[in-house]
Every structure is written in C-alpha cells, then in structure tokens.
Coordinates of all heavy atoms in Angstrom, one line a residue:
D23 N 23.3 7.4 22.8 CA 22.1 6.9 22.0 C 22.6 6.1 20.8 O 23.7 6.4 20.2 CB 21.3 8.1 21.4 CG 20.7 8.9 22.5 OD1 20.3 8.4 23.6 OD2 20.5 10.2 22.3
L24 N 21.9 5.1 20.4 CA 22.1 4.4 19.2 C 20.8 4.6 18.3 O 19.7 4.3 18.7 CB 22.2 2.9 19.4 CG 23.5 2.4 20.0 CD1 23.5 0.9 20.3 CD2 24.7 2.7 19.1
T25 N 21.0 5.2 17.2 CA 19.9 5.5 16.2 C 19.9 4.4 15.2 O 20.9 4.3 14.5 CB 20.0 6.9 15.6 OG1 20.0 7.8 16.7 CG2 18.8 7.1 14.7
I26 N 18.8 3.6 15.0 CA 18.7 2.6 14.1 C 17.7 3.1 13.0 O 16.6 3.4 13.3 CB 18.3 1.2 14.7 CG1 19.2 0.8 15.8 CG2 18.1 0.2 13.6 CD1 18.8 -0.3 16.6
S27 N 18.2 3.1 11.7 CA 17.4 3.7 10.7 C 17.3 2.7 9.5 O 18.3 1.9 9.3 CB 18.0 5.0 10.1 OG 18.0 5.9 11.2
A28 N 16.2 2.7 8.8 CA 16.1 1.9 7.6 C 16.0 2.8 6.4 O 15.4 3.9 6.4 CB 14.8 1.1 7.7
T29 N 16.7 2.4 5.3 CA 16.7 3.2 4.1 C 16.3 2.3 2.9 O 16.2 1.1 3.0 CB 18.1 3.7 3.8 OG1 19.0 2.6 3.7 CG2 18.6 4.7 4.9
G30 N 16.0 3.0 1.8 CA 15.7 2.3 0.6 C 14.3 1.7 0.6 O 13.4 2.2 1.4
G31 N 14.0 0.7 -0.2 CA 12.7 0.1 -0.2 C 11.6 1.1 -0.6 O 10.6 1.1 -0.1
G32 N 11.9 1.9 -1.6 CA 11.0 3.0 -2.0 C 9.7 2.4 -2.5 O 8.8 3.2 -2.8
G33 N 9.6 1.2 -2.7 CA 8.3 0.6 -3.1 C 8.1 0.8 -4.6 O 9.0 1.0 -5.4
G34 N 6.9 0.9 -4.9 CA 6.5 1.2 -6.3 C 5.6 0.1 -6.8 O 5.2 -0.8 -6.1
G35 N 5.2 0.3 -8.0 CA 4.2 -0.7 -8.6 C 2.8 -0.1 -8.6 O 2.6 1.1 -8.3
T36 N 1.9 -0.9 -9.0 CA 0.5 -0.5 -9.2 C -0.4 -1.4 -8.5 O -0.3 -2.6 -8.6 CB 0.2 -0.4 -10.7 OG1 1.1 0.5 -11.4 CG2 -1.2 0.0 -11.0
S37 N -1.4 -0.8 -7.9 CA -2.5 -1.7 -7.3 C -3.7 -1.4 -8.2 O -4.3 -0.3 -8.3 CB -2.8 -1.2 -5.9 OG -4.1 -1.8 -5.5
N38 N -4.1 -2.4 -9.0 CA -5.2 -2.3 -9.9 C -6.5 -2.2 -9.1 O -7.5 -1.5 -9.5 CB -5.3 -3.4 -10.9 CG -4.1 -3.4 -11.8 OD1 -3.6 -2.3 -12.2 ND2 -3.6 -4.5 -12.2
S39 N -6.7 -2.9 -8.1 CA -7.9 -2.9 -7.3 C -7.6 -3.5 -5.9 O -7.1 -4.6 -5.8 CB -9.0 -3.6 -8.0 OG -10.1 -3.7 -7.1
G40 N -8.0 -2.8 -4.9 CA -7.8 -3.3 -3.5 C -8.7 -4.6 -3.3 O -8.5 -5.3 -2.4
E41 N -9.7 -4.7 -4.1 CA -10.6 -5.9 -3.9 C -10.0 -7.2 -4.1 O -10.5 -8.2 -3.8 CB -11.8 -5.7 -4.8 CG -12.6 -4.4 -4.4 CD -13.7 -4.1 -5.4 OE1 -14.0 -4.9 -6.3 OE2 -14.3 -3.0 -5.3
Y42 N -8.8 -7.2 -4.7 CA -8.1 -8.5 -4.9 C -7.5 -9.1 -3.6 O -7.2 -10.2 -3.6 CB -7.0 -8.4 -6.0 CG -7.5 -8.1 -7.4 CD1 -7.3 -7.0 -8.0 CD2 -8.2 -9.1 -8.0 CE1 -7.8 -6.8 -9.3 CE2 -8.7 -9.0 -9.3 CZ -8.5 -7.7 -9.9 OH -9.0 -7.6 -11.2
W43 N -7.3 -8.2 -2.6 CA -6.8 -8.6 -1.3 C -7.9 -8.7 -0.3 O -8.8 -7.9 -0.3 CB -5.7 -7.6 -0.9 CG -4.6 -7.5 -1.8 CD1 -3.7 -8.5 -2.1 CD2 -4.2 -6.4 -2.5 NE1 -2.8 -8.0 -3.0 CE2 -3.1 -6.7 -3.3 CE3 -4.7 -5.1 -2.6 CZ2 -2.4 -5.8 -4.1 CZ3 -4.1 -4.2 -3.4 CH2 -2.9 -4.6 -4.2
C44 N -7.8 -9.7 0.5 CA -8.8 -9.9 1.5 C -9.1 -8.7 2.3 O -8.2 -8.1 3.0 CB -8.4 -11.1 2.4 SG -8.2 -12.6 1.6
G45 N -10.3 -8.2 2.4 CA -10.7 -7.2 3.3 C -10.4 -5.7 2.9 O -10.6 -4.8 3.6
L46 N -9.8 -5.5 1.7 CA -9.4 -4.2 1.2 C -10.3 -3.7 0.1 O -10.7 -4.4 -0.7 CB -7.9 -4.2 0.8 CG -6.9 -4.5 1.8 CD1 -5.5 -4.5 1.1 CD2 -6.9 -3.6 2.9
T47 N -10.5 -2.4 0.2 CA -11.2 -1.7 -0.9 C -10.4 -0.5 -1.4 O -9.5 0.0 -0.6 CB -12.6 -1.2 -0.5 OG1 -12.4 -0.2 0.5 CG2 -13.5 -2.3 0.0
G48 N -10.6 -0.1 -2.6 CA -9.8 1.1 -3.1 C -9.1 0.7 -4.4 O -9.1 -0.5 -4.8
G49 N -8.5 1.7 -5.0 CA -7.8 1.4 -6.2 C -8.6 1.9 -7.4 O -9.8 2.2 -7.3
P50 N -8.0 2.0 -8.6 CA -6.6 1.7 -8.8 C -5.7 2.7 -8.2 O -6.0 3.9 -8.2 CB -6.5 1.6 -10.4 CG -7.5 2.5 -10.8 CD -8.7 2.4 -9.9
I51 N -4.6 2.3 -7.8 CA -3.5 3.2 -7.2 C -2.3 3.0 -8.1 O -1.8 1.9 -8.2 CB -3.2 2.9 -5.8 CG1 -4.5 3.1 -4.9 CG2 -2.1 3.7 -5.3 CD1 -4.3 2.6 -3.5
T52 N -1.8 4.1 -8.7 CA -0.7 4.0 -9.6 C 0.5 4.7 -9.0 O 1.7 4.2 -9.2 CB -1.0 4.6 -11.0 OG1 -1.4 5.9 -10.8 CG2 -2.0 3.8 -11.7
T53 N 0.3 5.8 -8.3 CA 1.4 6.5 -7.6 C 1.1 6.7 -6.2 O 1.9 6.3 -5.3 CB 1.7 7.8 -8.3 OG1 2.0 7.6 -9.7 CG2 3.0 8.5 -7.7
T54 N 0.0 7.3 -5.9 CA -0.4 7.6 -4.5 C -1.9 7.2 -4.4 O -2.6 7.2 -5.4 CB -0.2 9.0 -4.1 OG1 -1.0 9.9 -4.9 CG2 1.3 9.4 -4.2
G55 N -2.3 7.0 -3.2 CA -3.7 6.7 -3.0 C -3.9 6.1 -1.7 O -3.0 6.0 -0.9
Q56 N -5.1 5.5 -1.5 CA -5.4 4.9 -0.2 C -6.2 3.6 -0.4 O -6.9 3.5 -1.4 CB -6.3 5.8 0.6 CG -5.7 7.1 1.1 CD -6.6 8.0 1.9 OE1 -7.8 7.8 1.9 NE2 -6.0 8.8 2.7
L57 N -5.9 2.7 0.5 CA -6.7 1.5 0.6 C -7.4 1.5 1.9 O -6.9 2.0 2.9 CB -5.8 0.2 0.4 CG -5.2 0.0 -0.9 CD1 -4.2 -1.2 -0.8 CD2 -6.2 -0.3 -2.0
A58 N -8.6 0.9 2.0 CA -9.3 0.9 3.3 C -9.8 -0.5 3.5 O -9.9 -1.3 2.6 CB -10.5 1.8 3.2
L59 N -10.0 -0.8 4.8 CA -10.6 -2.1 5.2 C -12.1 -2.1 5.0 O -12.7 -1.1 5.4 CB -10.3 -2.4 6.7 CG -8.8 -2.9 6.9 CD1 -8.6 -3.0 8.4 CD2 -8.6 -4.2 6.3
Q60 N -12.6 -3.1 4.4 CA -14.1 -3.2 4.3 C -14.6 -3.5 5.7 O -13.9 -4.1 6.6 CB -14.4 -4.3 3.4 CG -14.0 -4.2 2.0 CD -14.3 -5.4 1.2 OE1 -14.9 -6.4 1.6 NE2 -13.9 -5.5 -0.1

C-alpha cells in the first residue's frame, strides 16, 4: 500500500457573512459554524 496524506493548511480567518459569496447563507463565522446554499 501507498498512503498519501495531506497535512497543514489549518485554515483560519473569519467569515463575516456568507451572503458575500454567490449562493451562500450563514455567518458570521469566527471559529466554527456552517454555511449553506441558498
């Protein structure tokens, strides 16, 4: 077997409002939360 794994990229940042992106609702998200498609 060959196991291919990705590490890092912990993300971060803040979503002030999902409404700024096409088709998304939700926010503000500062640490955890959900965005949904309209």
Side-chain angles (χ1 to χ4, degrees):
D23 296 330
L24 287 174
T25 302
I26 302 171
S27 302
T29 59
T36 299
S37 167
N38 294 324
S39 174
E41 295 171 8
Y42 290 114
W43 298 297
C44 298
L46 297 178
T47 62
I51 297 173
T52 56
T53 305
T54 62
Q56 293 181 337
L57 292 174
L59 284 174
Q60 298 175 4

